[in-house]
Amino acid sequence: MFNPQRVVAKRVSKLLMLSLMVPGSVFAAEVSPAVPHNVAAVSQNNNVPIVGASTILPKVAVDERKAPLTTGSVDWSSLNNQHLQSTKMLCGDTTSNVCFASQIEQAYAQNKFYPLWNTVALRNELTLQLQVLADSKMLPGIAQRLAEMKQLEQEGNLRGYDLLATDTYYVYRAFQNYIAQHRSVLFLSEPVNMTHSMLEYAKGDDAYPMTMAKLTMYRPTYVDFEPTIKVIQKFENLAPHHLLASNFKSVYRQGAVLPKGHEIAQVLYNLGDMSAADRDTLLAQPTITNTGIMFNSIKTFQKRHGLSIDGIVGPGTVKQLVMPYSDIARILALNTLRLSALNRNNDTRAHIWVNIPNYKLEVFDNGKKVFESKVIVGRDTRPTNLFSSAITTMVVNPYWNVPITIKQHDVIPKVKVSRNYLKAHNMQILNSWRDRTVISPSSIDWATVNPKTFPHEFQQGPGPHNSLGNVKFLMPNDYAIFLHDTPAHGLFSRNKRDLSSGCVRVERADDLANYVINYQNRSNIAPFKTMLDTKQHKVVSLSKRIDVDFVYLTAWVDQDGHLQMRNDIYGYDSPQAKPIKAKFITMKDFVKH
C-alpha cells in the first residue's frame, strides 16, 4: 500500500530500529499498519494523517518536519507497472517511466520525502493550467499525461500520482520557460516537441518547492483565468455542428431565407448569442428568415467577432459562423498561452497595448484603461511585427523618411511613370540617410533606374498631406515600426483595417499626443496644439517612457465573461502552407534599449 506520508523506499527493519531509537521521528510512519484506501488513520508518532484517495492532506511546513537520519531514495514501484504512453510522447528518448527522474529525486530529497501535491488547491491549479496546454494542441502527450494522472488518482495510487504530477510539473515548467524565450512558436501553430535540449529549461534553483504562488505565475495576465477555462471546456464538450461554408451560396441580407436556418439557430444558441427561448421559437418554424430574433442574434454574433454589425450573412460572417467548436476551444487555449507569455507590465507605469487583429490601441495607467483608439495595421504581405518596446520620442510636424520597401515598390515606380509625383507629394531626394544633401530629380535618368539598386533616399516634408500626419511616436526596434497619425482618416471607418506597410496609424493620434505630454508632467514642454500650429518640425524627448506591446490575440474572454474572437488576418492561428517569416514574430523585447 502507498503510505502518502512518505515517497521513499521501504527499509522496514532499519527504519523500525531508527524509530525506536528516535521517538517521534518521521521514520516511524514507515512501519504503520496498512489501512484501506477509504479509511483515514492517524499516526501515533506525529499526528499526521495516513489518508485515502479522497482525503485532503494538510500542508506541513518543511521546517516543522524532522529530517530523516538517512537520505533515502524515491520508491518508483508505484509506476513500474504503469503503461505511460505520455512519457514516450513527451520525451521519447528517456529510459525511465518519467522525463525528469533526477529532478524528481532531488525534489523529494529536499522535501524530506513527503508528498509534494498534498493539497487540493495545488493539484487543481496544476490540472487547470495543464488542460489549457492540452486544449491548445501545442504539446503532444500532455493530454495523455493528464488522463494518466487522473486514472492514478481514481485508483487510489497516490504515490504514483504524486510522482507523475511532479514529473508533469517539470514538463510544464520546461515548456513555459521555453516559450518565454521563444515566444514565436506560439504563432507558428506547430506542436512543440520536447527535445533533449528543451528539457534543460526545467532546471533551476527556483524549481522547488512547488507552491501555489509559483504556479500562478504561469497564469495568463490581463484576463480572468477561471472564466476562460470554463469557456474552453464548454466548447470542448459540445457535440459538433454541421454548418459548412459551402451551405451558403450568396449573401443573405435582412429578410432573406437562410439555408440551414435551424442549424444556425442552434449554433448561435451554443455560442451564447441567442437565448434558449428564442432558439426554441425559431426551431418550431418550418423556414427561418434573416429577420427579428435571427437578425438581432447575428448582429450580436458579429459584434463579438469584430465584424461589421449589419446583420448581413456574408463571407466574413460565414467564415466565423462555421468554425468548429473544437477549433474555437483550441484557438482560445492557444491565445491564453500567448497571454501567459506576454510581458507583465508594471501597473505603476503607463503602457500601450496594440492588438493587431483587433485593430485597436489601448493605454493603461495604474492598471486602468485610460485611452483607446482605432488603428490601421500592416497588411498580410507586410505584417506589423510583434515586439515590445517603449516610446522614447514624439515628433510633431514630422518628416517622413520613406522606408526601403515603399521606396522600391511604390515611390520609384510612380516617379518613373510621372516626374510630377515627387512635387505633388512634397517629397525630395536625399543623397543618403547619412549625407542629407538634396539631389535634383532632373539629374537622374529615371528610365535606367533599378528600384532595388537605387542609391538615394526619399523624404516627405511636413504638411497636411504628409503620410505621417501631425505626429509620430518613436520607439527602439529593429523593424522601423512606429505609431503615427495619418491624413487619410476615412480609412478608419472600414471594419477591416490591415492596410499599412507595417507601421501603425492611430485614429486619435492628437489625443494620444496630449496624453503623452501630460504624462511627462514637465512645464518645459509646450502644449501639443501650440507646437502643431508653428508648422515647424519639433522633436520631443520623453523622460518618462511609455511601454508598448504589439500583440496578436484573436480570442479572449472579456470582463463580462463573453468570448471575443477576431479574424486571423496573418494566419498565425493555423498551420500555413507557406512558412511565416521569422522576423515578423520574434516577439523581441526592446524596453531596456
Side-chain angles (χ1 to χ4, degrees):
M1 169 206 168
F2 167 43
N3 175 358
Q5 288 191 25
R6 305 295 304 284
V7 186
V8 65
K10 294 183 179 180
R11 296 179 296 277
V12 176
S13 58
K14 184 175 181 179
L15 296 178
L16 177 60
M17 183 180 297
L18 289 171
S19 68
L20 294 174
M21 293 170 58
V22 187
S25 165
V26 292
F27 278 95
E30 294 289 339
V31 295
S32 300
V35 295
H37 285 306
N38 59 351
V39 177
V42 177
S43 167
Q44 295 179 353
N45 302 310
N46 54 14
N47 293 323
V48 177
I50 301 171
V51 302
S54 62
T55 309
I56 301 174
L57 284 168
K59 183 74 173 177
V60 181
V62 173
D63 56 4
E64 294 178 1
R65 295 171 177 151
K66 298 181 180 180
L69 300 182
T70 181
T71 56
S73 61
V74 170
D75 176 10
W76 296 97
S77 61
S78 57
L79 291 181
N80 287 343
N81 296 324
Q82 300 293 328
H83 177 64
L84 301 179
Q85 179 188 7
S86 64
T87 302
K88 295 179 181 179
M89 297 178 70
L90 290 167
C91 45
D93 57 350
T94 184
T95 57
S96 170
N97 240 353
V98 293
C99 298
F100 292 96
S102 60
Q103 285 88 342
I104 292 172
E105 292 269 4
Q106 183 180 4
Y108 283 110
Q110 289 179 277
N111 205 48
K112 302 182 181 14
F113 295 95
Y114 281 88
L116 293 165
W117 304 94
N118 58 356
T119 68
V120 170
L122 200 60
R123 294 196 297 269
N124 286 348
E125 181 66 26
L126 178 65
T127 300
L128 283 176
Q129 294 193 36
L130 291 175
Q131 191 61 58
V132 173
L133 180 54
D135 292 335
S136 74
K137 307 294 192 293
M138 285 297 295
L139 186 61
I142 203 67
Q144 289 77 4
R145 177 59 66 88
L146 270 171
E148 291 162 357
M149 288 167 58
K150 182 178 180 181
Q151 183 66 27
L152 289 171
E153 194 170 25
Q154 290 176 341
E155 292 173 352
N157 187 349
L158 300 188
R159 184 194 296 269
Y161 172 87
D162 212 83
L163 288 168
L164 203 58
T166 303
D167 185 55
T168 310
Y169 163 78
Y170 281 108
V171 169
Y172 185 52
R173 174 184 168 85
F175 177 84
Q176 287 285 2
N177 289 346
Y178 179 80
I179 65 172
Q181 297 185 38
H182 303 83
R183 291 183 285 183
S184 60
V185 300
L186 296 176
F187 304 92
L188 296 170
S189 297
E190 296 177 352
V192 175
N193 294 314
M194 290 281 287
T195 61
H196 183 73
S197 60
M198 184 176 165
L199 298 180
E200 297 295 315
Y201 288 88
K203 297 180 179 180
D205 295 336
D206 62 332
Y208 172 86
M210 296 75 165
T211 63
M212 182 65 76
K214 192 170 295 180
L215 266 182
T216 53
M217 288 183 64
Y218 292 129
R219 281 191 172 201
T221 51
Y222 312 115
V223 293
D224 292 330
F225 188 54
E226 284 84 359
T228 301
I229 293 292
K230 290 180 180 178
V231 174
I232 294 173
Q233 292 175 342
K234 169 187 172 181
F235 288 107
E236 276 285 349
N237 295 329
L238 282 174
H241 65 70
H242 303 290
L243 285 181
L244 299 172
S246 59
N247 298 142
F248 302 88
K249 304 299 185 183
S250 63
V251 174
Y252 302 88
R253 303 182 183 278
Q254 187 173 12
V257 175
L258 291 170
K260 299 285 184 179
H262 297 87
E263 186 76 13
I264 294 174
Q266 184 63 44
V267 167
L268 289 173
Y269 164 73
N270 287 337
L271 294 174
D273 300 313
M274 181 181 292
S275 70
D278 287 342
R279 176 204 57 181
D280 293 343
T281 297
L282 289 175
L283 293 183
Q285 299 176 6
T287 302
I288 296 177
T289 59
N290 191 11
T291 55
I293 294 170
M294 177 61 76
F295 185 73
N296 291 329
S297 293
I298 289 172
K299 290 201 293 184
T300 301
F301 171 87
Q302 291 171 331
K303 182 177 181 181
R304 280 195 311 102
H305 287 77
L307 302 167
S308 296
I309 309 171
D310 52 18
I312 299 172
V313 182
T317 297
V318 168
K319 179 182 177 181
Q320 299 295 328
L321 192 61
V322 301
M323 183 178 292
Y325 298 136
S326 58
D327 282 3
I328 294 175
R330 180 187 65 82
I331 291 170
L332 179 55
L334 174 62
N335 279 272
T336 303
L337 289 182
R338 289 173 180 170
L339 281 163
S340 67
L342 289 176
N343 289 334
R344 295 173 183 257
N345 290 290
N346 186 344
D347 282 344
T348 62
R349 185 161 122 176
H351 73 273
I352 293 172
W353 177 289
V354 180
N355 185 5
I356 293 168
N358 196 29
Y359 307 121
K360 181 179 286 188
L361 175 152
E362 297 170 297
V363 181
F364 296 87
D365 198 352
N366 287 312
K368 295 181 180 180
K369 185 165 69 174
V370 296
F371 177 86
E372 69 176 44
S373 174
K374 292 179 180 180
V375 296
I376 292 169
V377 300
R379 51 189 178 270
D380 58 359
T381 55
R382 302 182 194 177
T384 298
N385 298 71
L386 306 181
F387 66 97
S388 297
S389 190
I391 296 176
T392 58
T393 306
M394 184 176 79
V395 181
V396 184
N397 294 316
Y399 287 95
W400 180 42
N401 297 330
V402 178
I404 186 170
T405 53
I406 297 178
K407 178 180 80 171
Q408 293 177 353
H409 297 293
D410 297 325
V411 176
I412 293 178
K414 290 176 181 177
V415 174
K416 288 167 75 72
V417 172
S418 172
R419 302 297 184 268
N420 292 326
Y421 179 85
L422 295 179
K423 183 177 181 181
H425 289 81
N426 192 25
M427 285 186 181
Q428 59 185 0
I429 304 172
L430 304 181
N431 189 41
S432 69
W433 294 130
R434 289 181 178 274
D435 175 12
R436 301 213 169 194
T437 302
V438 177
I439 305 295
S440 172
S442 61
S443 66
I444 299 171
D445 182 4
W446 292 100
T448 63
V449 167
N450 183 340
K452 292 185 178 181
T453 59
F454 188 70
H456 308 305
E457 306 295 345
F458 295 90
Q459 186 181 69
Q460 187 178 42
H465 302 296
N466 184 283
S467 294
L468 303 183
N470 294 329
V471 61
K472 67 177 179 179
F473 307 88
L474 305 181
M475 62 206 72
N477 67 89
D478 294 338
Y479 321 111
I481 298 292
F482 50 88
L483 304 172
H484 66 90
D485 185 24
T486 176
H489 274 251
L491 295 176
F492 290 106
S493 62
R494 297 187 184 184
N495 189 67
K496 191 174 184 294
R497 297 191 296 277
D498 48 334
L499 308 168
S500 81
S501 297
C503 287
V504 174
R505 308 173 197 172
V506 182
E507 182 182 38
R508 297 178 56 198
D510 287 10
D511 294 331
L512 180 60
N514 285 320
Y515 173 83
V516 169
I517 291 173
N518 291 337
Y519 184 74
Q520 301 306 302
N521 195 25
R522 285 165 46 194
S523 59
N524 62 336
I525 301 179
F528 173 68
K529 190 175 185 308
T530 300
M531 290 188 282
L532 189 63
D533 289 345
T534 65
K535 303 186 185 307
Q536 298 298 311
H537 180 77
K538 176 68 174 178
V539 178
V540 181
S541 296
L542 306 180
S543 55
K544 293 177 67 175
R545 296 185 172 193
I546 300 177
D547 295 337
V548 184
D549 291 306
F550 293 86
V551 303
Y552 193 91
L553 299 171
T554 55
W556 66 94
V557 175
D558 64 24
Q559 293 181 342
D560 297 322
H562 299 144
L563 172 64
Q564 297 289 329
M565 298 195 74
R566 299 296 182 266
N567 186 32
D568 179 21
I569 58 175
Y570 294 162
Y572 293 169
D573 288 349
S574 301
Q576 297 293 299
K578 187 176 181 181
I580 298 167
K581 292 183 179 179
K583 68 178 182 178
F584 295 119
I585 53 173
T586 57
M587 293 291 290
K588 289 180 67 175
D589 189 346
F590 298 88
V591 172
K592 296 181 180 179
H593 284 53

